Each structure stands twice: as C-alpha cells, then as structure tokens.
Amino acid sequence: MPGQLTLLDAPSLWYRAFHGVPESVTAPDGSPVNAVRGTIDLVARIVRDTRPARLVACLDNDWRPAFRVAAVPSYKTHRLTEHGAEAEPESLAPQVAVLLEVFAAVGLAVVGVDGYEADDVLGTLSARETGAVDVVTGDRDLFQLIRDDGPVRVLYAVEKLAPYTEGTVAAKYGIPGTGYAEFAVLRGDPSDGLPGVKGVGAKTAAALVTRFGTVEAIVAALDDGTQDGFPAGARAKLEAARDYLDVA
C-alpha cells in the first residue's frame, strides 16, 4: 500500500505520557488513566497533523533482549528490580493493557516480536520501507534510523514532535546526519547502560565519527597504526576499550 508509513515507539510514548499527565486523570472507577489519555491525545495529534497512510504501534515483547545483555552486560541494569524484572510504576501496567485494547478497537496495527524490543521492530520496518517514514519516539537512540534518501525522519516527542532529519542531527551533534549510532557507541548512553569509551565525551566522539565514519573504521585505523585523525589522547583510550568496541 503506498503512502507515508508512521511507526510509533509505543513504550516510549506511553512512559512519557504517564510522567507528563497527572495521575489525577482517572477513569469513572477512580483508576489512573493518565498514560492512556496522554498517549491517545498524542496519536490523535500525529494523525491530524501528518495524515499517515499507514500507522503501526511497535512494542517491546522483550524490553532487555538476551543477545544485547550478552554483548554488553550493563545494558539496562539500572532499570532492574532486585528480582530481575523491569522497574516501572505500579499503575502503568494496567494502563498499558487498556491502551492495547484501545489500539485494537480503532484498528491500529500493533507489532511485537518475541525476543526483541520495539527498537528492533522500528528499525526493521523502517529499513524495509522504500517510501517516506516517520518514527515517533521520545528516545534519541532512534536518531540512527534517520536518512534523507528514504526519507526517514524522527518526530521527537521530547521536543513537541519536532522533525529530525540528517540536517537536524548534524547541526545538533556536529556529526554526519546518519552517524548517530556510532556517536552514541563512543560517547555512551547512561539511559540504556551503554558505558561508552572511558574518557571520550561528546566532542571527541563527534570528531572521531566525522573523521572515520564508523566504529569499524576506527578499529581498522587502530589495527593498521594510523595516527592521523585521532584527537589528543583518544587513540590510547580507544585501544583500552577494544573489547567494548568489538561488541557495542
């Protein structure tokens, strides 16, 4: 079916709605529905403002996939309870169940895959699409999906659905517009427990991505003894982080 595809990072959106709308918003029985109200309002705004031809809500069937934990053990560890479950507000899970019923009632397509999180579904559907894609999220990790030749843009919920393109990413981070994933690997991302390279901050990460393009190219430059293009002290820090770079 032709026409713009809009992909919703549903867990990201309902978490933002939960924390952005007061819990005083309740159902007739008194139960909180702040996440339900906030999410539905946002989806309605997206439909009204962008008129997508196709709309898909992407879900976490596994919020912390085993293959990611095996690669980077610190992945999302700060979000674990003492029993190993995901730490989340007590009143949110019942609202998620209601939201899924609402999605079904209005005929909104919902996709989740066992063993994978919403990011994986978003990335797969975005990469397969040959036409225009909007990815709606409050998670900047999804900036890595942006490309002007799709085009794929991110409507960033943190900034009132501001549209992010390659130009926006380049202007904000000082990197090539498709280089956000490489930048995040080097700098790290505390929100996901991604440690980054010790001693490498945003400025150095941006310089490395601009010079080399990919983590693989940086590792190749370390292997062949290249000295040019490494900010002062960065080469030794990257050498010390080789194991991390190989998997991150």
Side-chain angles (χ1 to χ4, degrees), residues 7 35 42 58-59 73 85 101 128 137 141 162 172 178 201-202 219-220:
L7 304 173
L42 181 63
C58 303
L59 306 182
E101 290 181 10
R128 286 179 177 176
T137 184
D141 286 351
K172 188 176 183 70
T178 57
V219 171

Side-chain angles (χ1 to χ4, degrees), residues 118-132:
D119 290 26
D120 301 303
V121 179
L122 290 155
T124 299
L125 296 180
S126 172
R128 286 179 177 176
E129 184 67 17
T130 57

Side-chain angles (χ1 to χ4, degrees), residues 49-98:
D49 292 353
T50 69
R51 299 294 179 181
R54 293 165 292 157
L55 185 64
V56 180
C58 303
L59 306 182
D60 287 334
N61 277 22
D62 189 338
W63 74 282
R64 190 170 179 257
F67 70 91
R68 287 208 169 91
V69 177
V72 182
S74 62
Y75 186 62
K76 294 185 177 179
T77 52
H78 60 296
R79 301 189 205 175
L80 290 171
T81 67
E82 61 181 334
H83 304 296
E86 180 182 11
E88 65 177 9
E90 184 177 345
S91 63
L92 178 56
Q95 296 193 58
V96 170
V98 172

